[in-house]
């Protein structure tokens, strides 16, 4: 009723993945023999067919000697908040398109029944599940036994838009526009981009003697390229 836990011992670093009803997935990974731990907390709630709201965070505990294991030091670098947010988005995007595409493929074939009450869940009753399917099967069994076996979306819960890269990887609407740290960083980036283009125009127009004709052209092109590069960020 309250969820379940799965121990993963087949990897070099054993871990435990727990589902705490109704929406938390907690991955606990020990490092070394002195008590260091890494916790990955993920919260997801479905908003409409094919979409969900997601919040996650990583918590790292030092060992008894107050030391950080080498494998975890990369996660504690003194990076700006907005950089961490960009890296988190890149991490989430690793499998996003494949998951969205498969979900919509199931919906198109009529096999996606999570939104339909009273339908049999064929996946949870699969005859030959792999070991990696254990968590999915247990979650769907929990959904069937304790959560009314379906997600009760409001309105039309049968339609689902096709998978779209622009939607799946839309960091602006999913995060940036609501994050003060990323908005501030974006404002500074736009100002830096404008200064790069302005400096390129000035170098082209003035052609400083210290740079010479060739140096002025190279510098102007370099500054323009820098501005264009920042436009892609």
């Amino acid at each position: 009723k309250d969820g379940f836990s799965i121990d993963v011992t087949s990897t070099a670093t054993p871990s435990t993945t727990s589902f705490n009803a109704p929406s938390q997935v907690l991955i606990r990974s020990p490092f070394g023999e002195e008590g260091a731990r890494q916790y990955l907390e993920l919260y997801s709630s479905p908003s409409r067919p094919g979409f969900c709201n997601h919040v996650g965070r990583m918590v790292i505990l030092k060992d008894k000697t107050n030391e950080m294991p080498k494998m975890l030091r990369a996660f504690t670098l003194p990076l700006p908040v907005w950089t961490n947010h960009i890296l988190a988005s890149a991490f989430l995007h690793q499998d996003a398109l494949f998951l969205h595409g498969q979900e919509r493929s199931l919906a198109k074939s009529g096999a996606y029944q999570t939104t339909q009450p009273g339908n049999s869940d064929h996946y949870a009753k699969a005859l030959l599940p792999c070991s990696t399917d254990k968590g999915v099967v247990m979650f769907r069994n929990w959904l069937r036994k304790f959560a009314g076996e379906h997600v009760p979306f409001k309105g039309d819960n049968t339609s689902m838009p096709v998978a779209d890269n622009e939607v799946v990887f839309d960091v602006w609407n999913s995060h940036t526009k609501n994050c003060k740290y990323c908005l501030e960083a974006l404002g500074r980036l736009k100002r830096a981009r404008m200064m790069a283009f302005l400096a390129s125009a000035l170098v082209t127009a003035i052609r400083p003697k210290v740079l010479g004709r060739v140096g002025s052209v190279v510098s102007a092109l370099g500054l323009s390229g820098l501005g264009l590069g920042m436009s892609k960020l």
Side-chain angles (χ1 to χ4, degrees):
K1 181 179 180 180
D2 297 325
F4 54 84
S5 293
I6 300 173
D7 293 325
V8 180
T9 58
S10 58
T11 60
T13 303
S15 64
T16 300
T17 299
S18 301
F19 167 67
N20 299 309
S23 61
Q24 185 204 52
V25 173
L26 176 62
I27 303 175
R28 291 170 287 190
S29 304
F31 285 85
E33 303 295 331
E34 299 297 327
R37 294 286 188 275
Q38 179 191 57
Y39 296 90
L40 182 60
E41 297 182 60
L42 306 172
Y43 298 85
S44 297
S45 61
S47 55
R48 64 187 190 277
F51 295 86
C52 71
N53 298 313
H54 172 80
V55 177
R57 70 170 182 171
M58 181 183 295
V59 178
I60 297 177
L61 300 180
K62 295 181 179 180
D63 59 24
K64 296 177 182 179
T65 63
N66 203 33
E67 292 292 330
M68 182 71 67
K70 291 183 179 179
M71 292 183 64
L72 297 179
R73 289 175 184 172
F75 297 103
T76 59
L77 295 175
L79 299 175
V81 174
W82 62 269
T83 305
N84 281 320
H85 289 183
I86 290 176
L87 295 175
S89 294
F91 172 77
L92 291 174
H93 289 165
Q94 292 180 93
D95 302 318
L97 187 61
F98 300 103
L99 295 173
H100 281 70
Q102 187 170 16
E103 182 182 43
R104 283 150 177 78
S105 178
L106 290 171
K108 185 177 180 180
S109 66
Y112 184 85
Q113 301 177 355
T114 308
T115 63
Q116 306 300 314
N119 286 316
S120 176
D121 188 344
H122 299 291
Y123 188 94
K125 297 179 181 179
L127 296 177
L128 294 173
C130 301
S131 59
T132 52
D133 292 325
K134 184 176 181 180
V136 178
V137 171
M138 292 179 71
F139 172 75
R140 296 178 81 93
N141 281 331
W142 174 87
L143 185 70
R144 176 171 52 83
K145 292 179 180 179
F146 304 110
E149 74 178 351
H150 75 290
V151 180
F153 293 110
K154 291 184 178 180
D156 179 15
N157 59 10
T158 59
S159 63
M160 186 180 297
V162 298
D164 184 341
N165 286 11
E166 293 298 323
V167 174
V168 174
F169 303 126
D170 183 5
V171 179
W172 168 257
N173 286 303
S174 66
H175 174 80
T176 305
K177 71 178 185 180
N178 299 310
C179 176
K180 70 173 185 177
Y181 301 104
C182 292
L183 285 176
E184 290 175 356
L186 181 60
R188 291 194 293 268
L189 180 65
K190 288 181 176 179
R191 290 192 292 272
R193 183 177 61 195
M194 184 182 299
M195 293 299 296
F197 285 132
L198 179 60
S200 175
L202 287 175
V203 170
T204 301
I206 299 175
R207 293 183 181 180
K209 292 183 179 181
V210 67
L211 295 177
R213 179 175 297 180
V214 175
S216 297
V217 172
V218 172
S219 298
L221 290 175
L223 289 168
S224 295
L226 178 61
L228 291 173
M230 288 189 285
S231 299
K232 300 296 182 180
L233 297 177

